[in-house]
Amino acid sequence: MTQRKRQAPQSIDPAAIEMLELAEAEGFSTAFSRAKAMAPCPIGVDGLCCRMCFMGPCRFVPKRGQSIEDVTGVCGATAATIVARNFARMVAAGASAHSDHGRDMAFVLLAAAKGEARGFSIRDEGKLRKVAHLMGIEDKGRPVAEVAQEVAEKALSNFGQQTGEITYASRAPKRRQELWRRLNLVPRGIDREIVETLHRTGMGTDQDPEHILHHTLRASMTDGWGGSMLATDISDILFGTPKPRTSQANLGVLKADQVNLVIHGHDPTLSEQITEAIREPELIQYAMSKGAKGINLAGICCTSNEVLMRQGVPSAGNMLHQELAILTGAVEAMVVDVQCTMEALVGAAAHFHTKVITTSPKAKIEGATHIEMEPHNAYQVARLIVRTAIDNYPNRPDSVHIPSQFSDLVAGFSHEYLRYMQGGTYRGSFRPLNDAIMSGRIRGAAGVVGCNNPRVTQDRGIMRLIQEYIKNDVLVVVTGCGAIAAGKHGYLVPEMMEQCGKGLREVCEAVGIPPVLHVGSCVDNSRILTVLTEMVEEGGLGDDISDLPAVGICPEWMNEKALTIATYFVASGAYVLFGVGSPVSGSPKVVELMTKGWEELVGGKLEFEPDIDKILQKSLAHIDAKRRALKLVTYDPNQYGQSGDRRLAGITA
Ligand code: SF4
Ligand code: MSK
């Protein structure tokens, strides 16, 4: 009898499962069903298709008995060259997305400083002055607007700069900066390195895989130490530096009796204004006049993370929830800005009354309503969008299907707050965290970040790693869709310390934090770079990021931006593991260059490992190896857990 291969479940999230059952019953297409219907291209999936010129496209498929390294394209390019080129282009594309986001934030700051953007102001003057200091801008005695204008102009100059170094390279640990300079890895200007990647990887230019990958390291840093770090800093200046806030996550945050407005994408500019607009009594009255009890705002993806950690706006879910939210039938408008918004939203909305509204001058979707936002008109556009959603409420179908699931969460652990919580306003530092790692209370740290991908079970890899890490006394920081997954599954609350190993639980109890810290959106991975740098500078854990017992994991990656994040963390010295599959598996030579080669060069490496159990083993082994190299005490899971209140209370477990 033929054994039928059992299909992997599509999600571990009960709300998603409920909506997928409904989609199947109603015949609605989703990313999950489309991924099932379309297998990945067997050549492209390994990075083995070259479309750089029209002598091709060339497919690198070895004949029987032939090695892949013996196959060439029409121009003679080897598999290693085209795999490296394809990877480099993905990294450049990811860097362009995050960096363009950073550029847009700088323009908003400039407009706000000049008084040309109604609704925008400097909400965090302290952060503005700190950033000015980091940029070498004199701020003493100068009016806020003047300092803000100079900060914005300095940020913008990082993009077009042709020579020298991007400003924030100087924020890395001294040892790292020396290494980068020795290896010629410091980006000269953000746009320059991205453009140069495209030039080098076109037909007939850079045809040495090692050389291509070397520049890829440099180009990736225009994101982490460039555009993303600028985006994070400027967002904090304009909208406030996050500190912990309570909220909820999952589709159950949608309300059956209110106007549901969902904001999705990455840029917080418009969503911050919408957050203001929904509080206007006039608009609330207007919603009531249409029969609704109020206006309910929820987020998806990283726009969600931005307004979640600053305003406490609940999250309707991560990337794969975007269509599912619409399929509830309860969404009056889904407002998108840039990145990770699927064209399929319009098709999903066609089954219901939902309006998909595009808002960025850079992004339209055929069939969507386009209401364009610029900094000077952001508040008017926000009001118009809220009114459009309210006007659509009477068109809602009689019955809606909102899953009941949502979890409480705490989000918004900016690096400034992490420092503050470890000593207060005057004595804030990373000393307690370093001490906890040195003593073995905390075994190490893991960043679990990134996307959902319907090629693997939604949230399963992310959640398994988070659960195992905290059980093994590894402190976890989360960003992007990984952060929302942790929130949906109830892991962003202090009560989760009960799931921790004994040492980590003691630390969480003492400081009063969850063992899984929501650090922000995708651009906020730059906050993790800052945290790692501060840990190095605090002392006791080596001289460089590559010395720290820490790892970065992206279990369910899908976006080019995730590869850029991986590469800049490697360039900064980190060990990074990605799940799902490898876009470079077509060339063993490139795999070797990105693992052994990069480890020898910069102390970090990038591995693709679809098996989550292997990711767990490798990452814990790496943390322990780094502990040994630092000559820290050997981690012992039973060493702690008998101190303080717990012992007095007679709790032994
Ligand atoms: Fe083929 Fe070379 Fe053209 Fe690529 S650049 S498509 S390998 S001929
Ligand atoms: S939104 S890049 S799916 S994390 Fe930042 Fe989520 Fe990945 Fe987009």
Side-chain angles (χ1 to χ4, degrees):
M1 207 177 90
T2 335
Q3 290 273 325
R4 278 189 65 190
K5 205 176 156 203
R6 277 187 54 202
Q7 292 261 356
Q10 300 181 96
S11 179
I12 60 163
D13 175 346
I17 293 167
E18 188 177 322
M19 291 312 299
L20 288 170
E21 281 168 3
L22 179 131
E24 201 172 331
E26 299 288 335
F28 297 150
S29 158
T30 65
F32 296 85
S33 63
R34 292 188 295 274
K36 235 192 264 178
M38 186 196 282
C41 163
I43 300 164
V45 76
D46 295 325
L48 285 172
C49 170
C50 183
R51 294 176 57 246
M52 301 313 174
C53 85
F54 215 57
M55 291 192 284
C58 296
R59 292 167 302 149
F60 286 61
V61 184
K63 298 203 170 63
R64 193 184 288 271
Q66 192 184 24
S67 154
I68 186 66
E69 302 294 5
D70 293 333
V71 182
T72 67
V74 173
C75 67
T78 63
T81 296
I82 65 126
V83 168
R85 282 200 307 221
N86 285 336
F87 181 78
R89 284 193 166 211
M90 290 174 89
V91 168
S96 75
H98 282 156
S99 292
D100 215 28
H101 175 169
R103 184 196 331 254
D104 287 344
M105 298 313 304
F107 275 120
V108 177
L109 180 62
L110 189 61
K114 290 179 171 175
E116 294 168 356
R118 196 199 144 208
F120 296 100
S121 58
I122 309 305
R123 286 211 196 133
D124 191 339
E125 189 186 327
K127 178 95 185 209
L128 171 72
R129 295 195 182 274
K130 193 177 142 204
V131 169
H133 177 74
L134 287 168
M135 290 179 163
I137 294 168
E138 182 54 66
D139 74 301
K140 281 207 183 68
R142 295 177 68 192
V144 173
E146 203 177 291
V147 178
Q149 181 166 338
E150 201 173 334
V151 164
E153 283 163 353
K154 179 74 179 173
L156 288 169
S157 74
N158 269 255
F159 292 87
Q161 188 174 294
Q162 302 303 320
T163 54
E165 298 184 349
I166 57 169
T167 308
Y168 281 168
S170 61
R171 285 174 69 167
K174 290 281 162 293
R175 181 65 67 85
R176 184 73 8 196
Q177 292 182 44
E178 286 162 17
L179 178 74
W180 286 342
R181 291 192 182 108
R182 216 166 43 245
L183 296 173
N184 199 20
L185 281 176
V186 183
R188 294 157 292 186
I190 294 170
D191 293 352
R192 178 166 186 185
E193 306 309 348
I194 294 169
V195 168
E196 188 171 311
T197 310
L198 298 183
H199 177 194
R200 281 174 180 241
T201 54
M203 190 270 157
T205 303
D206 200 352
Q207 290 158 104
D208 174 340
E210 189 171 359
H211 197 233
I212 294 167
L213 290 174
H214 192 92
H215 180 72
T216 308
L217 288 170
R218 175 161 61 170
S220 73
M221 293 207 294
T222 64
D223 180 338
W225 298 93
S228 275
M229 205 171 265
L230 289 168
T232 293
D233 276 353
I234 296 173
S235 299
D236 287 354
I237 291 169
L238 286 168
F239 309 125
T241 302
K243 36 186 180 293
R245 281 179 180 275
T246 55
S247 190
Q248 297 91 29
N250 215 337
L251 291 168
V253 304
L254 298 175
K255 301 260 195 316
D257 53 3
Q258 296 194 24
V259 173
N260 287 308
L261 180 54
V262 178
I263 44 182
H264 171 25
H266 282 77
D267 185 329
T269 311
L270 178 62
S271 47
E272 280 283 339
Q273 301 295 315
I274 291 177
T275 309
E276 292 278 317
I278 59 152
R279 293 176 187 145
E280 257 193 49
E282 189 189 322
L283 287 171
I284 295 170
Q285 277 304 320
Y286 187 55
M288 289 175 154
S289 75
K290 301 281 179 181
K293 290 222 170 101
I295 309 167
N296 181 43
L297 187 64
I300 297 266
C301 275
C302 282
T303 292
S304 178
N305 282 315
E306 297 279 355
V307 288
L308 169 66
M309 64 184 173
R310 292 199 181 85
Q311 309 293 345
V313 172
S315 178
N318 41 5
M319 208 278 296
L320 284 174
H321 274 36
Q322 57 188 287
E323 289 171 286
L324 306 185
I326 290 179
L327 298 186
T328 62
V331 175
E332 275 55 58
M334 181 170 282
V335 183
V336 304
D337 48 71
V338 288
Q339 305 168 23
C340 299
T341 62
M342 290 198 239
E343 191 167 345
L345 291 175
V346 170
H351 302 296
F352 300 95
H353 69 307
T354 308
K355 279 188 188 302
V356 177
I357 302 174
T358 51
T359 56
S360 164
K362 293 171 196 161
K364 284 191 175 184
I365 303 177
E366 194 179 353
T369 305
H370 191 69
I371 306 179
E372 200 157 298
M373 188 276 306
E374 296 282 358
H376 70 271
N377 68 3
Y379 195 70
Q380 289 103 295
V381 168
R383 289 192 95 248
L384 176 61
I385 285 171
V386 175
R387 283 188 80 92
T388 305
I390 295 169
D391 285 336
N392 201 21
Y393 182 76
N395 299 324
R396 188 189 278 190
D398 289 339
S399 82
V400 296
H401 189 113
I402 303 175
S404 57
Q405 292 87 358
F406 66 82
S407 297
D408 291 330
L409 59 81
V410 183
F413 289 88
S414 57
H415 50 278
E416 284 87 350
Y417 189 83
L418 291 174
R419 166 178 269 278
Y420 165 80
M421 78 186 189
Q422 297 179 77
T425 306
Y426 300 108
R427 288 187 298 123
S429 83
F430 276 80
R431 191 72 255 156
L433 175 62
N434 280 20
D435 285 345
I437 292 175
M438 289 164 72
S439 65
R441 264 195 180 82
I442 294 180
R443 185 174 182 176
V448 181
V449 309
C451 320
N452 278 156
N453 185 329
R455 300 275 173 215
V456 294
T457 303
Q458 185 196 19
D459 298 345
R460 182 162 70 181
I462 294 168
M463 293 316 301
R464 169 140 167 77
L465 288 171
I466 287 174
Q467 286 157 353
E468 289 298 324
Y469 285 141
I470 64 173
K471 212 188 282 174
N472 283 281
D473 293 305
V474 173
L475 180 70
V476 178
V477 294
V478 286
T479 60
C481 288
I484 298 174
K488 286 190 305 174
H489 294 276
Y491 275 72
L492 297 182
V493 288
E495 292 74 16
M496 272 301 141
M497 64 180 75
E498 293 300 324
Q499 309 289 321
C500 295
K502 294 170 183 170
L504 177 59
R505 188 165 65 191
E506 276 191 359
V507 175
C508 292
E509 280 170 353
V511 189
I513 51 164
V516 184
L517 300 172
H518 179 292
V519 177
S521 63
C522 291
V523 293
D524 292 328
N525 283 302
S526 62
R527 294 191 201 274
I528 301 178
L529 292 176
T530 307
V531 168
L532 296 175
T533 301
E534 296 214 11
M535 286 168 72
V536 170
E537 284 169 355
E538 190 60 52
L541 292 174
D543 300 328
D544 198 349
I545 292 172
S546 53
D547 295 330
L548 297 171
V551 288
I553 320 286
C554 188
E556 299 176 25
W557 77 279
M558 65 91 194
N559 200 304
E560 292 161 323
K561 293 177 287 170
L563 294 177
T564 319
I565 294 165
T567 310
Y568 73 63
F569 269 99
V570 170
S572 308
Y575 179 29
V576 179
L577 282 146
F578 266 43
V580 188
S582 165
V584 297
S585 59
S587 169
K589 186 171 175 177
V590 169
V591 171
E592 169 117 350
L593 283 168
M594 287 167 55
T595 50
K596 203 160 158 265
W598 277 356
E599 192 167 31
E600 282 166 12
L601 193 71
V602 290
K605 60 181 170 179
L606 173 56
E607 286 180 11
F608 294 91
E609 176 51 73
D611 184 332
I612 294 295
D613 287 332
K614 286 195 185 142
I615 290 183
L616 180 65
Q617 288 158 15
K618 285 178 174 200
S619 52
L620 290 177
H622 177 81
I623 285 172
D624 291 342
K626 290 293 174 186
R627 293 188 64 87
R628 280 196 298 280
L630 287 167
K631 300 194 173 22
L632 302 181
V633 295
T634 305
Y635 164 71
D636 172 1
N638 295 313
Q639 189 180 355
Y640 295 102
Q642 293 301 311
S643 61
D645 294 345
R646 298 186 68 80
R647 192 176 53 204
L648 290 175
I651 301 169
T652 52

